[in-house]
Amino acid sequence: MTERYLYDLSEGDASMKPLLGGKGAGVAEMLRIGIPVPDAFTVTTTACVAAMNNDGQWPDGLWDDILAALDRLEQRTGRRLGDAERPLLVSVRSGAVQSMPGMMDTILNLGISDTSVVALGAESGNPRFAWDAYRRFIQMYGEVVETVPAHVYEDALAALKSDRGVQQDTDLTEQDLQQLVQTYLTLSREHMGEELPTDPKEQLRRSIDAVFRSWLNPRADVYRRANNISADLGTAVNVMQMVFGNRGDTSATGVCFTRNPATGAKELYGEFLVNAQGEDVVAGIRTPRPLAEMEQVLPAAYRQLLETMTKLEQHYGDMQDIEFTVEDETLYLLQTRNGKRTASASLKVARDLVAEGVIDEREALRRIEPAQLDQLLHPAIDPQHGKTPLTKGLNASPGAAVGTVVFDAVTAERRGKAGDPVVLVRWETTPDDIAGVIAAQGVLTAHGGMTSHAAVVARGMGKPCVAGASAIKIDALAKTLTIGDTVLGEGDSITLDGSTGEVFAGALDLVPPQVNEDFQAIVGWADKIRRMDVRANADNGEDAAKAREFGAQGIGLCRTEHMFMDETRLPAVRKMILADDEAAREAALAEILPMQQADFEAIFDAMSGLPVTIRLLDPPLHEFLPNLVDQALLVQRLELQNGDAAELAEAKALLGRINALTEQNPMLGTRGVRLALMFPEIAVMQVRAIARAALAVKGRGGDPHVEIMVPLVAFAQELQRMRELITETMAQELAAAGGAELPFTVGTMIELPRAAVVADQIAEFADFFSFGTNDLTQTGIGISRDDAEGAFLAAYVDADIVPANPFSSIDVDGVGGLVALGTERGRSVKPDLKVGVCGEHGGDPASINLFEKIGLSYVSCSPYRVPIARFAAAVAVLNQQDQQA
Ligand code: PEP
Ligand code: MG
């Protein structure tokens, strides 16, 4: 059977989204549950894909299928495209599986022509409206399908208004509009080099083709990359009967959300315009009115709209974003979809829907994007700032942004990518600005409402945005921004508060965000579902306490080197490294031991009752010494000065030691377990400090759970020796403490490919494994963690050679494969082996999903990511269940 590329509206439903796109399936589903929608048919995403894969050539028979579907639509509506008596007008819209702002703009009023315009005017009793529809159609069609520059039509419209001495489009008369149609046709011919086609069927064919082509356009591509949407999905094309919101004062058009998408509150949220088409609301040309005012203007349609909102929410179990039109007091829903919302709204809506009994907790968890939780962990402006805002716009997307002003997306992208914090300031953003929005800290617009492009895009990305700040004057050429008496130029600092809409000159201080009750409740649900434990990476008592507050179930990685880097400790550490003999080294270590012990005590205190994994010293020793070049220059200077001989001798000795310790590839050099085996007295000192700290904490009623971890193990024999050394030292300490009891375990990091491959051998000597996915990414892929991100990696991501930066989100097949292999081999020897991960990936939702699949016991991440990890671990369980179902 040949593939089917066409579906009438009544044949679709919500489950057909991959085929009909979000819009097509959405409208079909609405019809199915009895909601008033205009009639339509949909060209499938598979037709788009087939055309894309064949140099834009449509599949055989597609056009005939479309003509047949059109014929059926004409029969159902009792109208014909371009008819002189009962004309059918249609809209043509792209509709990808996921909503995509970068796609082709909608074509409205297709089917209007020199013949049908008269009929439309007669039917509606409003010829002016018909001519307005006609000129709008030529403008949209010419611009979007035939790529006539937008300004060509805009200029002609502006010239005509100026000629007539009027301000508003609505002040133009029917005759003015007739004239404008002729002007538009002439201008179109000039720019196209041929007549604009007047046959509506030909216009339809070209419009559908333009939708297909727009799937591959650069701005859609930018959006897809930013949102990880595959280019292979294609877009559907929806051809729908037009209903008119601009048929006079009994007609209207609007957009609304079933709840407030900024806060999640269950309240009216939307805008409408009487006597207007849908594009007028989103384009921000006329300022829309708050939805509540519709009750007075169109009471029956308003009541029906409220009922429909409830029905849609109940049906979809989620907050909806709705487009509607009222034609002569009859309500039509044009579109509904799950509304984009801020993270805090997302949590509130989910929690409220569960409380209202619409969905259960598991379903609520599926609805929340783990990455969205990040937004709630966004900084806000320090409330103590005491500054007066320059102006206030709409609080379009929450969070605070500080950066320097830039006026165009290209500069924003360039400077943002170079690491400069910038704030993109625009009159209004368009889909062409997307790359700039992505690279900016925040967005400020002078125009447009809560549903404007800037607001919608920023909310989706979790970027602070202040929209519609009408008091600001932008001079894009001079690159200045004027608010009252204040003039800011490109490069001047600005601060936005997307939560209040306030705009400040200068860079204000930011404070870390608060985690609210909704957040706690939802992460609490996640805790009931997740299987993996979530621990934190923390190196001091304060971070450990913070981590525990965030719900960490222990410490998965305590990096002891951080304790040595401290200024007060470095002298003793250097003394230890520079010691000529063991005795001198022992003396220096004796100085360090009490410091280490104090650190461990603070951590054991904060984590009483929970496991604490302490890793023995990992970095190469040269990291604790001055830089080689600096020291060489110092020696040179002292020699020239001819000063204190002792000072010179000391500097030379240090230089010699630095030289001796310097390695070509320190990351592959004397570090980790190799260091411990070369200088066992360092490890002995650390184990003693651990034992003494644990005994001290125990002595004061605490409950330390000690886990000692050996880094960078490649050979089983390395761990075997370290295990002996640790066990022996512990035994000595406990004996010295009068035969005290202190259970402890010894484990290893798996962060080298060899370790993963021989994990069965290593497991013989390990009580637990912890995957160091930072080093495992470095050594597994063979890319330097210190250099690659600033070098070729960004280009690799851009060119789709790798799907994401593998140091942030795990390389599933490669490094993830090593994690799976190591886990499997380790557990082949010890089936109950506890296996965790403590690299950066432990806090990344996509990586956590993989770790759940592999069956790890826990993930460990930075304290601030602990709540996200708890959540992501639960979602990972649900994903697994979905896959098995
Ligand atoms: C790792 O390599 O993943 C790890 C956690 O250790 P570090 O980042 O300290 O090398
Ligand atoms: Mg490591």
Side-chain angles (χ1 to χ4, degrees), residues 601-657:
E601 280 186 37
I603 294 171
F604 287 139
D605 275 334
M607 281 287 162
S608 182
L610 296 175
V612 174
T613 304
I614 295 176
R615 180 176 76 184
L616 300 180
L617 194 65
D618 183 21
L621 290 182
H622 79 87
E623 285 196 14
F624 300 100
L625 298 178
N627 173 282
L628 177 65
V629 176
D630 290 349
Q631 191 64 20
L633 287 171
L634 176 69
V635 167
Q636 204 176 48
R637 190 154 45 90
L638 291 174
E639 276 173 346
L640 285 173
Q641 280 169 355
N642 232 343
D644 188 339
E647 197 186 346
L648 176 62
E650 199 181 307
K652 275 189 165 169
L654 183 54
L655 178 61
R657 195 76 182 123

Side-chain angles (χ1 to χ4, degrees), residues 357-429:
V358 179
I359 54 174
D360 66 11
E361 291 175 6
R362 301 166 77 85
E363 189 53 39
L365 287 171
R366 282 180 223 263
R367 293 285 165 76
I368 298 161
E369 280 288 314
Q372 268 193 320
L373 296 185
D374 243 349
Q375 271 188 47
L376 282 195
L377 303 162
H378 270 338
I381 296 177
D382 184 346
Q384 307 299 322
H385 63 78
K387 295 265 166 46
T388 315
L390 291 174
T391 185
K392 198 168 169 195
L394 297 170
N395 53 339
S397 180
V402 176
T404 55
V405 172
V406 294
F407 293 94
D408 64 282
V410 174
T411 311
E413 193 188 1
R414 180 170 46 77
R415 305 240 328 250
K417 275 193 174 162
D420 288 352
V422 296
V423 169
L424 180 61
V425 180
R426 304 281 286 153
W427 192 72
E428 164 65 284
T429 63

Side-chain angles (χ1 to χ4, degrees), residues 270-383:
E271 296 162 330
F272 79 110
L273 273 172
V274 171
N275 195 13
Q277 291 208 122
E279 292 304 291
D280 298 339
V281 178
V282 267
I285 291 159
R286 281 164 59 192
T287 301
R289 299 165 66 178
L291 191 62
E293 291 179 14
M294 192 172 142
E295 189 172 10
Q296 269 85 52
V297 193
L298 293 161
Y302 176 77
R303 271 193 306 277
Q304 203 191 348
L305 177 64
L306 294 197
E307 278 163 27
T308 305
M309 281 192 197
T310 312
K311 198 166 176 181
L312 285 171
E313 258 204 4
Q314 294 283 335
H315 181 69
Y316 290 105
D318 202 0
M319 177 182 93
Q320 297 297 296
D321 169 357
I322 294 167
E323 283 180 26
F324 66 90
T325 284
V326 180
E327 186 182 66
D328 275 339
E329 297 191 357
T330 307
L331 176 74
Y332 291 97
L333 275 268
L334 302 184
Q335 187 180 137
T336 192
R337 56 188 165 188
N338 292 342
K340 285 205 161 88
R341 65 204 82 177
T342 63
S344 55
S346 189
L347 301 202
K348 180 162 173 49
V349 169
R351 196 167 165 221
D352 288 353
L353 287 174
V354 170
E356 290 163 26
V358 179
I359 54 174
D360 66 11
E361 291 175 6
R362 301 166 77 85
E363 189 53 39
L365 287 171
R366 282 180 223 263
R367 293 285 165 76
I368 298 161
E369 280 288 314
Q372 268 193 320
L373 296 185
D374 243 349
Q375 271 188 47
L376 282 195
L377 303 162
H378 270 338
I381 296 177
D382 184 346

Side-chain angles (χ1 to χ4, degrees), residues 696-812:
V697 168
K698 217 173 154 189
R700 49 181 180 259
D703 181 18
H705 290 212
V706 180
E707 302 181 338
I708 300 175
M709 181 157 74
V710 182
L712 216 77
V713 163
F715 301 91
Q717 291 79 356
E718 290 171 322
L719 188 63
Q720 180 181 20
R721 284 173 199 214
M722 285 307 296
R723 191 178 182 97
E724 279 164 22
L725 182 134
I726 293 165
T727 317
E728 234 168 69
T729 309
M730 270 290 188
Q732 284 167 9
E733 283 299 310
L734 297 183
E741 292 242 334
L742 184 69
F744 67 93
T745 56
V746 178
T748 181
M749 296 198 65
I750 303 287
E751 48 186 348
L752 294 171
R754 187 180 199 282
V757 173
V758 300
D760 49 344
Q761 298 169 18
I762 292 174
E764 300 268 1
F765 307 104
D767 299 319
F768 63 89
F769 280 178
S770 180
F771 281 92
T773 46
N774 303 332
D775 273 306
L776 196 57
T777 298
Q778 168 165 264
T779 54
I781 307 182
I783 53 178
S784 162
R785 57 195 276 192
D786 300 305
D787 307 306
E789 283 167 293
F792 61 90
L793 251 188
Y796 265 40
V797 175
D798 272 354
D800 274 342
I801 295 172
V802 293
N805 175 351
F807 287 110
S808 318
S809 198
I810 198 146
D811 156 37
V812 172

